[in-house]
Amino acid sequence: MAREEMLTISQVIAEIGVPRATFYRWRQLRKGPKAIKLPNGAVRIRRSELDRWIATLEEAA
């Protein structure tokens, strides 16, 4: 079984085209995709979670 891709915040904001500050504000408001905080403090977003989150935005539009 292939491991699921884990994206960095830089990769996510490049893909969705928003400023870093906007992404962090969405995280504070719990409006962004679910993230994983690693023990070293780094944040990752699963590819499937990003895709799921984008799909919910499409449905709401």
Side-chain angles (χ1 to χ4, degrees):
M1 184 171 147
R3 279 190 46 208
E4 182 171 13
E5 184 180 13
M6 301 285 276
L7 305 168
T8 64
I9 289 177
S10 294
Q11 290 172 308
V12 171
I13 63 174
E15 185 166 326
I16 62 177
V18 298
R20 184 173 292 267
T22 299
F23 184 81
Y24 280 112
R25 188 167 61 251
W26 289 348
R27 275 183 44 95
Q28 279 186 323
L29 298 171
R30 304 211 182 283
K31 292 187 179 231
K34 291 180 190 169
I36 300 162
K37 190 161 190 175
L38 302 176
N40 67 358
V43 175
R44 297 290 182 270
I45 294 101
R46 284 189 172 102
R47 163 59 64 192
S48 62
E49 172 56 23
L50 180 60
D51 293 343
R52 182 205 64 77
W53 178 74
I54 290 171
T56 65
L57 297 177
E58 288 174 347
E59 290 165 12

